[in-house]
Amino acid sequence: MSQDTVVAKRYAKALFEVAEQQQRVTETEQELRAFVEAVSGDTDIRGFINSPNVPEPVKLQVLAGSFEGKLSAPVLNTIKLLVQRGRADLFGALLDGYLAIQEDKLGLADAKVYSAYALDDEEKAAVAEQFGARVNKTIRVENIVDPELLGGLKVVIGDTMFDGSVAGKLERLEKSFNRRV
């Protein structure tokens, strides 16, 4: 584990503890996610925050002016603290660390569900319920349409893949025939 990851986890833990005390865990996640996506998706913002030519007080003033009222005080203060300490490169790792802590504490897990067509809300709920029971967590489903699948589903939770696709079943069937020959 890199030193940056360890540092980001410390900030994430502190932010999570404050969010938990304020009973704003999900809202804090959403704010942090929106901020990280905005910064990572805009090279001008990243360049401004990481520029050694822009004085730190100017960066903090611009951040406060841009995000005051849009981000809660704990999220904005954490972001400012990272900028003050020259650790703006940790924004993505901060989000990852926060999500890991949140998932662990709240018994959540994200699942990438690959299917041949877009799943409706009812189908997503059924997948979440079935796989949630398997891993003993509340599952949040992200549906990814994969036209290469003939049918069925592939579900990835963490580093575990459940392959219920037609192609996967045919492959397992072929392997069982080859073992018997």
Side-chain angles (χ1 to χ4, degrees), residues 97-119:
Y98 185 90
L99 292 174
I101 292 167
Q102 179 186 29
E103 289 173 358
D104 185 50
K105 292 267 186 171
L106 302 179
L108 299 174
D110 290 321
K112 292 185 184 212
V113 180
Y114 298 87
S115 60
Y117 62 91
L119 301 177

Side-chain angles (χ1 to χ4, degrees), residues 114 131 134 149 151-156 160-172:
Y114 298 87
F131 285 93
R134 280 186 162 184
L149 289 178
L153 300 173
K154 273 201 252 184
V155 179
V156 178
T160 304
M161 181 172 72
F162 302 93
D163 189 354
S165 66
V166 172
K169 289 178 183 179
L170 289 173
E171 186 178 312
R172 288 189 294 277

Side-chain angles (χ1 to χ4, degrees), residues 68-79:
E68 197 84 45
K70 296 177 183 132
L71 298 177
S72 63
V75 173
L76 187 56
N77 290 341
T78 303
I79 290 165

Side-chain angles (χ1 to χ4, degrees), residues 10-26:
R10 286 186 190 140
Y11 284 98
K13 183 177 183 207
L15 180 59
F16 183 84
E17 287 173 359
V18 171
E20 195 173 36
Q21 287 172 355
Q22 295 179 352
Q23 297 180 340
R24 294 184 41 86
V25 172
T26 304

Side-chain angles (χ1 to χ4, degrees), residues 112-124 126-127 141-154 164-166:
K112 292 185 184 212
V113 180
Y114 298 87
S115 60
Y117 62 91
L119 301 177
D120 62 28
D121 290 339
E122 196 173 293
E123 291 168 321
K124 287 180 187 177
V127 169
V141 172
E142 176 189 351
N143 184 212
I144 300 168
V145 176
D146 183 357
E148 304 254 333
L149 289 178
L150 301 172
L153 300 173
K154 273 201 252 184
S165 66
V166 172

